Amino acid sequence: MNARTLTPLDRFFIGIENALEAVAGQPDAQRPSPAQAHPDVEMEDADRRHAAGLMRINHTGEVCAQALYKGQALLARDDETREHLLQAAVEETDHLAWCADRLRELDSRPSLLNPLWFVGSMAIGAAAAAVNDRVSLGFVVETERQVEAHLAEHIERLPAEDERSRAVLRQMQEDEIRHADNALARGGIELPAPIPTLMALTSKVMKAVAYRI
């Protein structure tokens, strides 16, 4: 059975399987981690905990990205739009795996609230897709722009010696910019003014919580 013959119920159960993998499993990256190009170094405990907190935020962000894309693909009207969303989700799986690897290297763990983040994000993605594909793609554009901005902030905030984490975030940032550009080229529209603001506020809460929990 190929992706074009899947029923909505098929996609729902595949989404549940993906949720379990994103939240509780160890996803396989298709690309090697950019961290491999840099040696691991010893850091002071405070710096290591700070780096882990930032990488936990980014791991949670990738859990949310998986959920958003899968929720949007679930209700996409156009097959090409659905395939575009699912392909972007594959790259986000790389990000998820890279962040999980880096958290282990930092002797830390993902956010305990990832199941909550996943469910909420999948519902938001499905709601955007339920309007129409152009709104859904516009949601991708705005999401990726906000993610790119917070990755730039984290690149600056990481401890100076943590080049392994920094390399991961730089590649993620490059991918997110491309995802936004591709969604815009496919017809994504600019979202009404209140929505980006609400998205930014929700992201701010997530980052504050995921840094610690």
Side-chain angles (χ1 to χ4, degrees), residues 159-192:
E161 65 270 32
D162 189 6
E163 286 301 322
R164 287 177 72 86
S165 297
R166 192 169 281 108
V168 169
L169 299 192
R170 283 175 176 151
Q171 183 59 56
M172 288 168 56
Q173 187 181 41
E174 182 179 317
D175 291 343
E176 310 299 12
I177 292 171
R178 186 174 69 258
H179 293 167
D181 290 344
N182 289 345
L184 188 62
R186 292 191 65 84
I189 64 172
E190 184 174 351
L191 300 179

PDB file of all heavy atoms in Angstrom, residues 159-192:
ATOM      1  N   PRO A 159      27.433  27.301  25.756  1.00  0.00           N
ATOM      2  CA  PRO A 159      28.796  27.529  26.233  1.00  0.00           C
ATOM      3  C   PRO A 159      29.775  27.583  25.064  1.00  0.00           C
ATOM      4  O   PRO A 159      29.618  26.851  24.071  1.00  0.00           O
ATOM      5  CB  PRO A 159      29.060  26.305  27.123  1.00  0.00           C
ATOM      6  CG  PRO A 159      27.707  25.880  27.590  1.00  0.00           C
ATOM      7  CD  PRO A 159      26.776  26.162  26.440  1.00  0.00           C
ATOM      8  N   ALA A 160      30.777  28.437  25.168  1.00  0.00           N
ATOM      9  CA  ALA A 160      31.694  28.673  24.057  1.00  0.00           C
ATOM     10  C   ALA A 160      32.348  27.396  23.560  1.00  0.00           C
ATOM     11  O   ALA A 160      32.585  27.227  22.355  1.00  0.00           O
ATOM     12  CB  ALA A 160      32.756  29.687  24.477  1.00  0.00           C
ATOM     13  N   GLU A 161      32.630  26.460  24.464  1.00  0.00           N
ATOM     14  CA  GLU A 161      33.354  25.248  24.078  1.00  0.00           C
ATOM     15  C   GLU A 161      32.446  24.153  23.513  1.00  0.00           C
ATOM     16  O   GLU A 161      32.946  23.118  23.034  1.00  0.00           O
ATOM     17  CB  GLU A 161      34.147  24.701  25.276  1.00  0.00           C
ATOM     18  CG  GLU A 161      33.314  24.225  26.441  1.00  0.00           C
ATOM     19  CD  GLU A 161      33.020  25.317  27.464  1.00  0.00           C
ATOM     20  OE1 GLU A 161      32.912  26.492  27.051  1.00  0.00           O
ATOM     21  OE2 GLU A 161      32.905  24.997  28.660  1.00  0.00           O
ATOM     22  N   ASP A 162      31.135  24.355  23.547  1.00  0.00           N
ATOM     23  CA  ASP A 162      30.227  23.293  23.119  1.00  0.00           C
ATOM     24  C   ASP A 162      29.973  23.367  21.614  1.00  0.00           C
ATOM     25  O   ASP A 162      28.863  23.666  21.154  1.00  0.00           O
ATOM     26  CB  ASP A 162      28.913  23.367  23.895  1.00  0.00           C
ATOM     27  CG  ASP A 162      28.026  22.152  23.649  1.00  0.00           C
ATOM     28  OD1 ASP A 162      28.479  21.213  22.972  1.00  0.00           O
ATOM     29  OD2 ASP A 162      26.878  22.145  24.132  1.00  0.00           O
ATOM     30  N   GLU A 163      30.992  23.054  20.838  1.00  0.00           N
ATOM     31  CA  GLU A 163      30.862  23.100  19.391  1.00  0.00           C
ATOM     32  C   GLU A 163      30.038  21.929  18.846  1.00  0.00           C
ATOM     33  O   GLU A 163      29.489  22.023  17.751  1.00  0.00           O
ATOM     34  CB  GLU A 163      32.244  23.126  18.736  1.00  0.00           C
ATOM     35  CG  GLU A 163      32.957  24.455  18.858  1.00  0.00           C
ATOM     36  CD  GLU A 163      32.163  25.599  18.231  1.00  0.00           C
ATOM     37  OE1 GLU A 163      31.534  25.389  17.170  1.00  0.00           O
ATOM     38  OE2 GLU A 163      32.156  26.704  18.808  1.00  0.00           O
ATOM     39  N   ARG A 164      29.937  20.839  19.593  1.00  0.00           N
ATOM     40  CA  ARG A 164      29.118  19.718  19.123  1.00  0.00           C
ATOM     41  C   ARG A 164      27.646  20.114  19.060  1.00  0.00           C
ATOM     42  O   ARG A 164      26.974  19.891  18.041  1.00  0.00           O
ATOM     43  CB  ARG A 164      29.322  18.490  20.023  1.00  0.00           C
ATOM     44  CG  ARG A 164      30.668  17.822  19.822  1.00  0.00           C
ATOM     45  CD  ARG A 164      30.889  16.656  20.771  1.00  0.00           C
ATOM     46  NE  ARG A 164      30.078  15.480  20.462  1.00  0.00           N
ATOM     47  CZ  ARG A 164      30.436  14.538  19.592  1.00  0.00           C
ATOM     48  NH1 ARG A 164      31.566  14.638  18.908  1.00  0.00           N
ATOM     49  NH2 ARG A 164      29.668  13.484  19.395  1.00  0.00           N
ATOM     50  N   SER A 165      27.139  20.715  20.132  1.00  0.00           N
ATOM     51  CA  SER A 165      25.747  21.172  20.115  1.00  0.00           C
ATOM     52  C   SER A 165      25.550  22.269  19.083  1.00  0.00           C
ATOM     53  O   SER A 165      24.540  22.300  18.357  1.00  0.00           O
ATOM     54  CB  SER A 165      25.336  21.682  21.494  1.00  0.00           C
ATOM     55  OG  SER A 165      25.373  20.659  22.458  1.00  0.00           O
ATOM     56  N   ARG A 166      26.511  23.168  18.998  1.00  0.00           N
ATOM     57  CA  ARG A 166      26.396  24.301  18.082  1.00  0.00           C
ATOM     58  C   ARG A 166      26.319  23.815  16.629  1.00  0.00           C
ATOM     59  O   ARG A 166      25.542  24.350  15.816  1.00  0.00           O
ATOM     60  CB  ARG A 166      27.566  25.258  18.299  1.00  0.00           C
ATOM     61  CG  ARG A 166      27.414  26.606  17.607  1.00  0.00           C
ATOM     62  CD  ARG A 166      28.466  27.606  18.073  1.00  0.00           C
ATOM     63  NE  ARG A 166      28.106  28.174  19.379  1.00  0.00           N
ATOM     64  CZ  ARG A 166      28.728  27.880  20.521  1.00  0.00           C
ATOM     65  NH1 ARG A 166      29.744  27.026  20.536  1.00  0.00           N
ATOM     66  NH2 ARG A 166      28.339  28.452  21.637  1.00  0.00           N
ATOM     67  N   ALA A 167      27.100  22.800  16.281  1.00  0.00           N
ATOM     68  CA  ALA A 167      27.070  22.273  14.911  1.00  0.00           C
ATOM     69  C   ALA A 167      25.708  21.679  14.585  1.00  0.00           C
ATOM     70  O   ALA A 167      25.193  21.831  13.461  1.00  0.00           O
ATOM     71  CB  ALA A 167      28.171  21.229  14.743  1.00  0.00           C
ATOM     72  N   VAL A 168      25.118  20.985  15.544  1.00  0.00           N
ATOM     73  CA  VAL A 168      23.779  20.424  15.342  1.00  0.00           C
ATOM     74  C   VAL A 168      22.769  21.540  15.082  1.00  0.00           C
ATOM     75  O   VAL A 168      21.963  21.473  14.144  1.00  0.00           O
ATOM     76  CB  VAL A 168      23.357  19.582  16.566  1.00  0.00           C
ATOM     77  CG1 VAL A 168      21.870  19.226  16.490  1.00  0.00           C
ATOM     78  CG2 VAL A 168      24.196  18.315  16.659  1.00  0.00           C
ATOM     79  N   LEU A 169      22.810  22.578  15.900  1.00  0.00           N
ATOM     80  CA  LEU A 169      21.831  23.657  15.755  1.00  0.00           C
ATOM     81  C   LEU A 169      22.013  24.421  14.454  1.00  0.00           C
ATOM     82  O   LEU A 169      21.032  24.867  13.841  1.00  0.00           O
ATOM     83  CB  LEU A 169      21.918  24.611  16.948  1.00  0.00           C
ATOM     84  CG  LEU A 169      21.623  24.014  18.328  1.00  0.00           C
ATOM     85  CD1 LEU A 169      21.446  25.124  19.355  1.00  0.00           C
ATOM     86  CD2 LEU A 169      20.378  23.129  18.300  1.00  0.00           C
ATOM     87  N   ARG A 170      23.251  24.576  14.005  1.00  0.00           N
ATOM     88  CA  ARG A 170      23.475  25.283  12.742  1.00  0.00           C
ATOM     89  C   ARG A 170      22.871  24.519  11.566  1.00  0.00           C
ATOM     90  O   ARG A 170      22.273  25.123  10.670  1.00  0.00           O
ATOM     91  CB  ARG A 170      24.972  25.512  12.532  1.00  0.00           C
ATOM     92  CG  ARG A 170      25.529  26.655  13.374  1.00  0.00           C
ATOM     93  CD  ARG A 170      27.027  26.765  13.240  1.00  0.00           C
ATOM     94  NE  ARG A 170      27.537  27.930  13.971  1.00  0.00           N
ATOM     95  CZ  ARG A 170      28.743  28.001  14.507  1.00  0.00           C
ATOM     96  NH1 ARG A 170      29.581  26.964  14.399  1.00  0.00           N
ATOM     97  NH2 ARG A 170      29.127  29.080  15.148  1.00  0.00           N
ATOM     98  N   GLN A 171      23.027  23.196  11.550  1.00  0.00           N
ATOM     99  CA  GLN A 171      22.439  22.418  10.464  1.00  0.00           C
ATOM    100  C   GLN A 171      20.915  22.427  10.558  1.00  0.00           C
ATOM    101  O   GLN A 171      20.220  22.521   9.540  1.00  0.00           O
ATOM    102  CB  GLN A 171      22.950  20.977  10.497  1.00  0.00           C
ATOM    103  CG  GLN A 171      22.429  20.124   9.344  1.00  0.00           C
ATOM    104  CD  GLN A 171      22.815  20.686   7.987  1.00  0.00           C
ATOM    105  OE1 GLN A 171      24.004  20.889   7.714  1.00  0.00           O
ATOM    106  NE2 GLN A 171      21.832  20.961   7.134  1.00  0.00           N
ATOM    107  N   MET A 172      20.395  22.339  11.766  1.00  0.00           N
ATOM    108  CA  MET A 172      18.949  22.438  11.945  1.00  0.00           C
ATOM    109  C   MET A 172      18.436  23.773  11.423  1.00  0.00           C
ATOM    110  O   MET A 172      17.400  23.837  10.741  1.00  0.00           O
ATOM    111  CB  MET A 172      18.595  22.265  13.420  1.00  0.00           C
ATOM    112  CG  MET A 172      18.754  20.840  13.939  1.00  0.00           C
ATOM    113  SD  MET A 172      18.666  20.703  15.754  1.00  0.00           S
ATOM    114  CE  MET A 172      17.063  21.447  16.080  1.00  0.00           C
ATOM    115  N   GLN A 173      19.146  24.836  11.739  1.00  0.00           N
ATOM    116  CA  GLN A 173      18.750  26.170  11.307  1.00  0.00           C
ATOM    117  C   GLN A 173      18.710  26.247   9.777  1.00  0.00           C
ATOM    118  O   GLN A 173      17.754  26.780   9.195  1.00  0.00           O
ATOM    119  CB  GLN A 173      19.724  27.203  11.864  1.00  0.00           C
ATOM    120  CG  GLN A 173      19.342  28.650  11.619  1.00  0.00           C
ATOM    121  CD  GLN A 173      20.382  29.592  12.194  1.00  0.00           C
ATOM    122  OE1 GLN A 173      21.589  29.346  12.096  1.00  0.00           O
ATOM    123  NE2 GLN A 173      19.933  30.671  12.805  1.00  0.00           N
ATOM    124  N   GLU A 174      19.708  25.693   9.127  1.00  0.00           N
ATOM    125  CA  GLU A 174      19.745  25.684   7.665  1.00  0.00           C
ATOM    126  C   GLU A 174      18.548  24.927   7.091  1.00  0.00           C
ATOM    127  O   GLU A 174      17.911  25.378   6.128  1.00  0.00           O
ATOM    128  CB  GLU A 174      21.050  25.045   7.198  1.00  0.00           C
ATOM    129  CG  GLU A 174      21.232  25.007   5.691  1.00  0.00           C
ATOM    130  CD  GLU A 174      22.557  24.391   5.292  1.00  0.00           C
ATOM    131  OE1 GLU A 174      23.584  24.715   5.939  1.00  0.00           O
ATOM    132  OE2 GLU A 174      22.577  23.575   4.345  1.00  0.00           O
ATOM    133  N   ASP A 175      18.230  23.796   7.690  1.00  0.00           N
ATOM    134  CA  ASP A 175      17.088  23.001   7.220  1.00  0.00           C
ATOM    135  C   ASP A 175      15.776  23.735   7.432  1.00  0.00           C
ATOM    136  O   ASP A 175      14.887  23.706   6.564  1.00  0.00           O
ATOM    137  CB  ASP A 175      17.038  21.657   7.948  1.00  0.00           C
ATOM    138  CG  ASP A 175      18.179  20.727   7.577  1.00  0.00           C
ATOM    139  OD1 ASP A 175      18.831  20.961   6.537  1.00  0.00           O
ATOM    140  OD2 ASP A 175      18.422  19.768   8.333  1.00  0.00           O
ATOM    141  N   GLU A 176      15.625  24.398   8.583  1.00  0.00           N
ATOM    142  CA  GLU A 176      14.362  25.096   8.877  1.00  0.00           C
ATOM    143  C   GLU A 176      14.138  26.247   7.903  1.00  0.00           C
ATOM    144  O   GLU A 176      12.997  26.496   7.464  1.00  0.00           O
ATOM    145  CB  GLU A 176      14.340  25.619  10.308  1.00  0.00           C
ATOM    146  CG  GLU A 176      14.701  24.633  11.407  1.00  0.00           C
ATOM    147  CD  GLU A 176      13.793  23.418  11.511  1.00  0.00           C
ATOM    148  OE1 GLU A 176      12.978  23.184  10.592  1.00  0.00           O
ATOM    149  OE2 GLU A 176      13.901  22.692  12.506  1.00  0.00           O
ATOM    150  N   ILE A 177      15.193  26.952   7.561  1.00  0.00           N
ATOM    151  CA  ILE A 177      15.065  28.044   6.583  1.00  0.00           C
ATOM    152  C   ILE A 177      14.586  27.490   5.244  1.00  0.00           C
ATOM    153  O   ILE A 177      13.704  28.070   4.593  1.00  0.00           O
ATOM    154  CB  ILE A 177      16.405  28.784   6.427  1.00  0.00           C
ATOM    155  CG1 ILE A 177      16.736  29.555   7.719  1.00  0.00           C
ATOM    156  CG2 ILE A 177      16.372  29.724   5.235  1.00  0.00           C
ATOM    157  CD1 ILE A 177      18.132  30.127   7.748  1.00  0.00           C
ATOM    158  N   ARG A 178      15.141  26.356   4.840  1.00  0.00           N
ATOM    159  CA  ARG A 178      14.735  25.743   3.574  1.00  0.00           C
ATOM    160  C   ARG A 178      13.280  25.275   3.621  1.00  0.00           C
ATOM    161  O   ARG A 178      12.526  25.440   2.660  1.00  0.00           O
ATOM    162  CB  ARG A 178      15.660  24.578   3.229  1.00  0.00           C
ATOM    163  CG  ARG A 178      15.376  23.986   1.840  1.00  0.00           C
ATOM    164  CD  ARG A 178      16.371  22.926   1.444  1.00  0.00           C
ATOM    165  NE  ARG A 178      16.243  21.725   2.251  1.00  0.00           N
ATOM    166  CZ  ARG A 178      17.047  21.397   3.263  1.00  0.00           C
ATOM    167  NH1 ARG A 178      18.036  22.179   3.601  1.00  0.00           N
ATOM    168  NH2 ARG A 178      16.848  20.271   3.943  1.00  0.00           N
ATOM    169  N   HIS A 179      12.865  24.708   4.765  1.00  0.00           N
ATOM    170  CA  HIS A 179      11.472  24.279   4.894  1.00  0.00           C
ATOM    171  C   HIS A 179      10.519  25.468   4.746  1.00  0.00           C
ATOM    172  O   HIS A 179       9.476  25.353   4.091  1.00  0.00           O
ATOM    173  CB  HIS A 179      11.243  23.621   6.254  1.00  0.00           C
ATOM    174  CG  HIS A 179      11.961  22.320   6.420  1.00  0.00           C
ATOM    175  ND1 HIS A 179      12.101  21.699   7.645  1.00  0.00           N
ATOM    176  CD2 HIS A 179      12.577  21.508   5.522  1.00  0.00           C
ATOM    177  CE1 HIS A 179      12.774  20.582   7.484  1.00  0.00           C
ATOM    178  NE2 HIS A 179      13.078  20.451   6.211  1.00  0.00           N
ATOM    179  N   ALA A 180      10.865  26.580   5.361  1.00  0.00           N
ATOM    180  CA  ALA A 180      10.012  27.775   5.251  1.00  0.00           C
ATOM    181  C   ALA A 180       9.963  28.269   3.815  1.00  0.00           C
ATOM    182  O   ALA A 180       8.877  28.593   3.294  1.00  0.00           O
ATOM    183  CB  ALA A 180      10.529  28.870   6.178  1.00  0.00           C
ATOM    184  N   ASP A 181      11.110  28.333   3.152  1.00  0.00           N
ATOM    185  CA  ASP A 181      11.153  28.800   1.765  1.00  0.00           C
ATOM    186  C   ASP A 181      10.344  27.883   0.847  1.00  0.00           C
ATOM    187  O   ASP A 181       9.622  28.350  -0.041  1.00  0.00           O
ATOM    188  CB  ASP A 181      12.604  28.875   1.278  1.00  0.00           C
ATOM    189  CG  ASP A 181      13.397  29.996   1.943  1.00  0.00           C
ATOM    190  OD1 ASP A 181      12.764  30.898   2.536  1.00  0.00           O
ATOM    191  OD2 ASP A 181      14.639  29.966   1.857  1.00  0.00           O
ATOM    192  N   ASN A 182      10.466  26.571   1.062  1.00  0.00           N
ATOM    193  CA  ASN A 182       9.729  25.620   0.221  1.00  0.00           C
ATOM    194  C   ASN A 182       8.222  25.741   0.424  1.00  0.00           C
ATOM    195  O   ASN A 182       7.445  25.679  -0.540  1.00  0.00           O
ATOM    196  CB  ASN A 182      10.179  24.191   0.534  1.00  0.00           C
ATOM    197  CG  ASN A 182      11.581  23.888   0.036  1.00  0.00           C
ATOM    198  OD1 ASN A 182      12.128  24.631  -0.780  1.00  0.00           O
ATOM    199  ND2 ASN A 182      12.171  22.816   0.519  1.00  0.00           N
ATOM    200  N   ALA A 183       7.804  25.901   1.687  1.00  0.00           N
ATOM    201  CA  ALA A 183       6.369  26.034   1.965  1.00  0.00           C
ATOM    202  C   ALA A 183       5.824  27.320   1.360  1.00  0.00           C
ATOM    203  O   ALA A 183       4.699  27.351   0.831  1.00  0.00           O
ATOM    204  CB  ALA A 183       6.122  25.998   3.469  1.00  0.00           C
ATOM    205  N   LEU A 184       6.610  28.391   1.408  1.00  0.00           N
ATOM    206  CA  LEU A 184       6.196  29.655   0.805  1.00  0.00           C
ATOM    207  C   LEU A 184       6.064  29.508  -0.714  1.00  0.00           C
ATOM    208  O   LEU A 184       5.093  29.978  -1.316  1.00  0.00           O
ATOM    209  CB  LEU A 184       7.207  30.741   1.151  1.00  0.00           C
ATOM    210  CG  LEU A 184       6.844  32.166   0.761  1.00  0.00           C
ATOM    211  CD1 LEU A 184       5.588  32.619   1.490  1.00  0.00           C
ATOM    212  CD2 LEU A 184       8.005  33.111   1.079  1.00  0.00           C
ATOM    213  N   ALA A 185       7.030  28.815  -1.320  1.00  0.00           N
ATOM    214  CA  ALA A 185       7.002  28.621  -2.772  1.00  0.00           C
ATOM    215  C   ALA A 185       5.816  27.763  -3.210  1.00  0.00           C
ATOM    216  O   ALA A 185       5.321  27.910  -4.336  1.00  0.00           O
ATOM    217  CB  ALA A 185       8.308  27.980  -3.235  1.00  0.00           C
ATOM    218  N   ARG A 186       5.339  26.892  -2.335  1.00  0.00           N
ATOM    219  CA  ARG A 186       4.219  26.024  -2.665  1.00  0.00           C
ATOM    220  C   ARG A 186       2.865  26.700  -2.426  1.00  0.00           C
ATOM    221  O   ARG A 186       1.825  26.085  -2.608  1.00  0.00           O
ATOM    222  CB  ARG A 186       4.289  24.731  -1.855  1.00  0.00           C
ATOM    223  CG  ARG A 186       5.461  23.829  -2.225  1.00  0.00           C
ATOM    224  CD  ARG A 186       5.321  22.462  -1.579  1.00  0.00           C
ATOM    225  NE  ARG A 186       4.153  21.767  -2.101  1.00  0.00           N
ATOM    226  CZ  ARG A 186       4.151  21.059  -3.223  1.00  0.00           C
ATOM    227  NH1 ARG A 186       5.254  20.956  -3.946  1.00  0.00           N
ATOM    228  NH2 ARG A 186       3.057  20.457  -3.631  1.00  0.00           N
ATOM    229  N   GLY A 187       2.889  27.961  -1.996  1.00  0.00           N
ATOM    230  CA  GLY A 187       1.633  28.697  -1.874  1.00  0.00           C
ATOM    231  C   GLY A 187       1.217  29.044  -0.463  1.00  0.00           C
ATOM    232  O   GLY A 187       0.081  29.480  -0.239  1.00  0.00           O
ATOM    233  N   GLY A 188       2.126  28.872   0.501  1.00  0.00           N
ATOM    234  CA  GLY A 188       1.799  29.241   1.869  1.00  0.00           C
ATOM    235  C   GLY A 188       1.487  30.722   1.979  1.00  0.00           C
ATOM    236  O   GLY A 188       2.160  31.553   1.374  1.00  0.00           O
ATOM    237  N   ILE A 189       0.457  31.053   2.756  1.00  0.00           N
ATOM    238  CA  ILE A 189       0.050  32.452   2.895  1.00  0.00           C
ATOM    239  C   ILE A 189       0.523  33.013   4.230  1.00  0.00           C
ATOM    240  O   ILE A 189       0.829  32.271   5.161  1.00  0.00           O
ATOM    241  CB  ILE A 189      -1.475  32.598   2.795  1.00  0.00           C
ATOM    242  CG1 ILE A 189      -2.173  31.861   3.958  1.00  0.00           C
ATOM    243  CG2 ILE A 189      -1.980  32.093   1.451  1.00  0.00           C
ATOM    244  CD1 ILE A 189      -3.668  32.126   4.042  1.00  0.00           C
ATOM    245  N   GLU A 190       0.589  34.336   4.311  1.00  0.00           N
ATOM    246  CA  GLU A 190       0.928  34.987   5.575  1.00  0.00           C
ATOM    247  C   GLU A 190      -0.277  34.873   6.511  1.00  0.00           C
ATOM    248  O   GLU A 190      -1.407  35.194   6.145  1.00  0.00           O
ATOM    249  CB  GLU A 190       1.271  36.455   5.341  1.00  0.00           C
ATOM    250  CG  GLU A 190       1.730  37.178   6.591  1.00  0.00           C
ATOM    251  CD  GLU A 190       2.205  38.588   6.296  1.00  0.00           C
ATOM    252  OE1 GLU A 190       2.338  38.947   5.109  1.00  0.00           O
ATOM    253  OE2 GLU A 190       2.440  39.334   7.269  1.00  0.00           O
ATOM    254  N   LEU A 191      -0.012  34.429   7.727  1.00  0.00           N
ATOM    255  CA  LEU A 191      -1.093  34.225   8.681  1.00  0.00           C
ATOM    256  C   LEU A 191      -1.566  35.553   9.261  1.00  0.00           C
ATOM    257  O   LEU A 191      -0.782  36.491   9.393  1.00  0.00           O
ATOM    258  CB  LEU A 191      -0.630  33.302   9.805  1.00  0.00           C
ATOM    259  CG  LEU A 191      -0.184  31.902   9.378  1.00  0.00           C
ATOM    260  CD1 LEU A 191       0.262  31.093  10.592  1.00  0.00           C
ATOM    261  CD2 LEU A 191      -1.290  31.171   8.641  1.00  0.00           C
ATOM    262  N   PRO A 192      -2.840  35.655   9.632  1.00  0.00           N
ATOM    263  CA  PRO A 192      -3.348  36.886  10.248  1.00  0.00           C
ATOM    264  C   PRO A 192      -2.568  37.238  11.505  1.00  0.00           C
ATOM    265  O   PRO A 192      -2.080  36.354  12.226  1.00  0.00           O
ATOM    266  CB  PRO A 192      -4.806  36.541  10.581  1.00  0.00           C
ATOM    267  CG  PRO A 192      -5.157  35.418   9.673  1.00  0.00           C
ATOM    268  CD  PRO A 192      -3.895  34.637   9.465  1.00  0.00           C
TER     269      PRO A 192
END
